Each structure stands twice: as C-alpha cells, then as structure tokens.
Amino acid sequence: MEQAIREFELKFDRPPEHAAKAPGRINLIGDHIDYNDGIVLPMAIDRQIVSVAASNAKNEFQVYLPDQDEFFSTSRLQPKQTDPDWAKYILGVLDQIERAGHEVPPFQSVIVTNLPIGAGLSSSAALEISTATLVEQISGFSLPAMEKARLCQRAEHEAAGVPCGLMDQISVTLCQEDAVLELDCQTDTIRHLPFSPDGLGLLITNSMVRHSLADGTYATRRKECEQCASLIGINSWRDINPEQFQSVAGNLPTNLAKRGRHIVTEIWRTGQASCAIKSERWERLGKLMAESHASLRDQFEVSCPELDLLVDFTCELPGVLGSRMTGAGFGGCTISLIELSERPFLERAITRKFHAATGMNPEIFLSAPSRGALGIPL
Ligand code: GLA
C-alpha cells in the first residue's frame, strides 16, 4: 500500500484518495468443476493486487503500473482488441459496471502487486475485483458480493475471451482468514470451513511455466464437458455418481469419457475433502489431493510435465501429506500440504530437484487462508 501511494504521488503529483486490494487464491481441491455444478474449496492467499486512485477532473481513465513502467490512458470504457491485456480486464470491469446501471467516474490510478501474474493464482480475478472495489470506493455505491463477482466474471468472458466459472471471482471477494470457502456452484451458496491445521501449512510452488487460458484449451474443456453431459442425457453433473458414470462411459468417445470421469470423481473427492476438513483428518485430505492431481493429469489432461514432476517428487519427500496442481492448469502452481517443521528442508529439496530437472528455479512460498477484497478510504 505504501509503495502504491508513493508511486501515485510521483506519477500524478498529488496524493491518492482511495485504495482497494484483492488477493490471489488457491483451490485446495475441486478443479474444473465450478462450471460443472460442483462444489469447490478455494482459499484466498496473502498476496494481493493493490490499487490506489483519485478522481480525474478530465474525462480520462489513466492507469499506471510502476513495476512494468506501463501507462494506459483512455476516455472510453469498452475494451479494444489492441489494448494491452491487463487494460482489457480493467476496462472490461468498468464497462460491466456501467452496463449494470452505475456511473463510473474517470480516475487516475496506480496498481502494484506481490502476486505472481499468470501463475494460476487468479491474478486476473484479483485485478477485476480490485478494480470493481476501487470504483465502489470512488463512487460511494456498493455492489452485493455475488453481483460484483458475476459482473467481473462477465468482464473476463467478454473482454478476455475466457469462459471461466465463478470460483475465482467469488473466492477473491468472499474468502475469510483461517477458513476455506466451500462454494456450491449448483446453488451459488457458500460456507466458511475453519482451516488452521496444527503444525501443518500449504506450500505454494510456482512451476514458472506461464499459463494462459486465452489460447482456447480451457474453452475446449468446457465444451467437452457440455457435449459429454448431453450425450449421457444429464441436466447437471450432480445427477450422476462415479459408478453410474462408469456404466455409461463405454459408449462415449474416449476423450469425453475421460473428461466426464474427472468431473464425477472430482465432485466426489471434493465432498470427501470437505468432510476430512470438518473432522480434521489431514492425512485423508492429502491423499485426496494426490488423487485429484492424477485425475487432472490423466483424465482431464490439463497438467504439464513440470507440474507433474513437482507433484511426483514433492509427494515422495518426508513431511508431505499431499500435493497437486491448483487452478486451471497448463502451467502455474502446485500446492502441498506439509508439516511446517520440515519447511526449510522441503523448500531446499524442491528447489534443487526442480532445478536439476528443468534448469528453472521455482518460486516457493507459504500462505495461510486470508481475507477477500477490501476497499480502503485514504
Ligand atoms: C480457472 C477459472 C475457474 C476454474 C478454474 C479451474 O481458474 O477461472 O473458474 O474453472 O480455472 O478449477
């Protein structure tokens, strides 16, 4: 926050008046089932995007990213194909807010972050939600949380061309400290499950393989799930369990059978994980995480060699209860449930093994479940 304020003063020669911050998220388990009526278990992490701003007397939106030294200025709200990608997310949100009937006053802003970008930690949802939260601060209205999340999801669909589910926008908005969010995507209802296991923590390892959802693979998977549901004649993936699915899978094209198998088993695993968290059975949770990774790798086919490598050797190390890729996949991060007493050893071992195999240094950090987005008057 201090950095953002200093940078704003330097860039615009006056102090900012408003601030907003929004965290990244990891998903403990339940990937690619938010857009399939599943239940997901995300939590916000303590890495954020921070935006500060002041109203602009001129009819212009000006945004400066000091870390990249990039500046964008426009008087329109609709994103254009030629805009920088990050600006499309911001304009997309402003455009959606206006289309929802709210006035969006022009502003100048500075954005800083300690959240790895494009690493599967929902940097795009954090940027969207921090933008919406900033506009709430500047304009004085407040959007109901679900409406805000949906509006940012629409911005991502339209401005970035990614047909994402709602998990990221909701978790970035509504997560609480020391709790995992249980989001039922069939009913859009949430529960906060207390999560502060004694002596254990979640280690986040960035494979440094940049993931991009806009290349169409995410959209292809989403379409395959719809085709599979229509071939087996279900209205919702909650209407079929893994045994029932297995009895019809033989009649499906191989790729659709694999996608469906991931969906039904991941929905089942997430239900089991939720019970494991409530009854504090952490070994069980770790085992479910490992099974989830295998399913994302073999059935949904959204992992990549670097993520598989990380998960495989991390699971073999002492003090690790389970490990898996998190989020959409195609690169990005793994999360591992670890014994905190082994943390220094694990960080060294993972770094050494990953470097030996790939020549890259992974970024590794720990995060407790953190709170969702926040608007801050300055
Ligand atoms: C991305 C999407 C989410 C969700 C995950 C996979 O993060 O934005 O809606 O589908 O992938 O679980």
Side-chain angles (χ1 to χ4, degrees), residues 184-320:
D184 184 332
C185 302
Q186 191 176 35
T187 54
D188 282 351
T189 45
I190 62 160
R191 272 198 294 181
H192 298 282
L193 310 183
F195 185 87
S196 37
D198 227 8
L200 301 179
L202 283 162
L203 201 65
I204 300 169
T205 305
N206 185 352
S207 71
M208 312 310 275
V209 177
R210 230 184 130 82
H211 93 148
S212 160
L213 302 188
D215 73 355
T217 322
Y218 183 93
T220 305
R221 288 293 176 278
R222 194 167 175 161
K223 208 160 262 144
E224 287 170 330
C225 295
E226 285 160 17
Q227 284 167 352
C228 186
S230 121
L231 280 179
I232 55 182
I234 49 167
N235 289 322
S236 166
W237 282 103
R238 293 283 273 285
D239 296 344
I240 186 163
N241 65 33
E243 289 73 36
Q244 291 164 329
F245 181 80
Q246 214 34 47
S247 68
V248 296
N251 304 325
L252 295 167
T254 315
N255 67 325
L256 298 191
K258 285 178 156 191
R259 309 305 177 244
R261 193 168 298 120
H262 169 71
I263 298 305
V264 292
T265 57
E266 188 80 346
I267 289 176
W268 178 83
R269 276 187 293 274
T270 304
Q272 295 291 303
S274 174
C275 295
I277 292 171
K278 286 173 204 150
S279 53
E280 305 195 354
R281 280 154 55 227
W282 308 121
E283 297 275 346
R284 169 84 176 135
L285 177 63
K287 198 163 168 291
L288 291 162
M289 288 169 69
E291 286 171 11
S292 167
H293 182 80
S295 178
L296 286 157
R297 179 191 63 209
D298 302 334
Q299 307 298 330
F300 216 62
E301 298 181 289
V302 290
S303 188
C304 68
E306 292 83 357
L307 288 173
D308 294 341
L309 197 78
L310 274 175
V311 166
D312 285 352
F313 64 61
T314 302
C315 280
E316 295 296 309
L317 295 168
V320 176

Side-chain angles (χ1 to χ4, degrees), residues 25 27 30-35 122 164-168 213 218 327-328:
R25 66 96 193 90
N27 187 21
D31 274 311
H32 290 277
I33 58 173
D34 63 339
Y35 54 86
S122 260
C164 61
L166 200 53
M167 170 173 77
D168 300 349
L213 302 188
Y218 183 93

